[in-house]
Amino acid sequence: MNFKVPSRLRRLLVDSVELPQLKFPVTRPRSQPARQRVSTQLVPQSLTEVLWFGRNPGDLRMLEYVPPGIDGPMPLVVVLHGCQQNAEDFDRASGWTALARKHGFAVLYAEQKPFNNPNLCFNWFRPSSVSRDRGELGSIREMIDFSRRLHKIDDNRIFVMGLSAGGAMASALLATYPELFAAGAIVGGLPFGAARDAMSALDVMRRGSARPAEKWAELVREVSPDAGRFPSVSIWHGSDDGTVSYANAEASVAQWLAVHERPQTKGRLRLFEGGERREWRGDHGDVVVELVTLNDFGHGLPVRSTVTGKEPANDTERFILSAAISAPEQLVQSWKLA
């Protein structure tokens, strides 16, 4: 039976010496180091670590932010960091929880552990990590189910966004659990099934992988043969990305267009300062795939402004880059979270 633990009782339980024997979720807020953040747009809110969220086959950490005072079902955004990053630093730099407080949606972060990957990359290239209900993919699914049970989450408005290795893991979630997500964003990432081990992953990151669109789509259909629908996908990539080749963005477009059974046309082009957006629409006129290309942009998450003249404090900030538009802010708009 699912139930919500009253906040007063939860505080008593957190302080109890019997904590390891508890059979229901307990959360504890984490402290944040006092450090100037990269993004200058919004003040992030504190994340709370969930110490127990159920089965955790991939041994990941879960952190969340749920805005106070929301009456009724709220959307949920799952955020996945890149290599050499962690949830708190990524959130400070990207401003996701600040947007969540402003607009009234919940944010869930999955965080990698050094034991799983010394570079803190999600293991998107290992079949055992991205199989349905197994490994890291299974852990993230458990986190989402926990949030759905404990909070007032609108099951029709669950989204996922990932950067780099997190983007590749977001692609795996969209392919494996299409019924769970309304939409997702792959930022500087790779298509689902692009690699099956670390060596092939490094190669495809540098050069991409030449594969017909239908072959890319078959990889998705193999893991979700009974899917009645697939989520819309937003793909973001820098034209000068030296870490993950732009060819991977083109492969992701080919994969998801074929999944949605859309023709391989050039799509509807829209220009903006610093880049372009191409859109492909479904039978009802809704955008099912979009490609946002940022000109003269490297590997990282685009935000509208960064602290001028400030050296990055860590690897997270090194991959949060100033751009004409902010990916989190744009996604809030396109996903109708505002």
Side-chain angles (χ1 to χ4, degrees), residues 14-217:
V14 167
D15 296 331
S16 173
V17 295
E18 299 299 323
L19 182 61
Q21 300 178 13
L22 296 175
K23 300 300 183 182
F24 38 81
V26 178
T27 60
R28 188 194 304 274
R30 298 181 67 198
S31 61
Q32 297 187 55
R35 181 170 62 228
Q36 187 181 20
R37 57 193 169 84
V38 170
S39 175
T40 63
Q41 299 304 309
L42 295 164
V43 178
Q45 309 301 308
S46 60
L47 292 172
T48 298
E49 182 177 6
V50 177
L51 301 178
W52 187 93
F53 54 85
R55 201 173 60 89
N56 188 8
D59 193 26
L60 301 178
R61 300 179 68 197
M62 175 183 174
L63 299 96
E64 68 176 7
Y65 173 75
V66 180
I70 303 298
D71 185 20
M74 73 185 85
L76 172 67
V77 176
V78 180
V79 184
L80 305 174
H81 62 77
C83 297
Q84 301 175 1
Q85 298 181 334
N86 62 64
E88 285 188 331
D89 287 341
F90 190 90
D91 184 67
R92 244 189 317 274
S94 66
W96 265 113
T97 60
L99 289 167
R101 183 177 180 86
K102 179 179 179 181
H103 298 297
F105 60 88
V107 177
L108 187 163
Y109 277 90
E111 184 179 279
Q112 183 61 283
K113 294 182 180 180
F115 178 81
N116 296 331
N117 188 302
N119 291 320
L120 299 180
C121 308
F122 290 106
N123 292 303
W124 58 271
F125 48 84
R126 291 180 181 171
S128 61
S129 292
V130 294
S131 297
R132 188 178 183 93
D133 298 337
R134 294 179 56 198
E136 294 170 17
L137 213 65
S139 291
I140 299 171
R141 172 62 192 267
E142 289 284 326
M143 296 177 193
I144 295 171
D145 286 346
F146 167 85
S147 291
R148 294 166 69 190
R149 291 193 304 267
L150 191 63
H151 310 300
K152 294 181 179 180
I153 299 299
D154 185 345
D155 288 344
N156 296 316
R157 304 180 70 193
I158 299 176
F159 308 88
V160 60
M161 188 229 78
L163 169 65
S164 192
M169 187 62 80
S171 185
L173 284 165
L174 294 168
T176 309
Y177 301 108
E179 74 286 351
L180 188 60
F181 297 99
I186 304 165
V187 184
L190 302 97
F192 174 66
R196 296 184 62 85
D197 53 53
M199 291 301 294
S200 61
L202 291 172
D203 183 66
V204 75
M205 286 170 60
R206 287 193 298 264
R207 301 188 298 176
S209 176
R211 192 175 298 183
E214 191 54 38
K215 293 295 184 182
W216 283 119

Side-chain angles (χ1 to χ4, degrees), residues 273-295:
E273 181 186 357
E276 65 177 42
R277 173 184 281 104
R278 291 190 181 273
E279 298 176 347
W280 292 265
R281 296 179 178 269
D283 294 334
H284 302 291
D286 53 322
V287 176
V288 293
V289 179
E290 73 169 359
L291 171 62
V292 181
T293 302
L294 301 165
N295 299 333

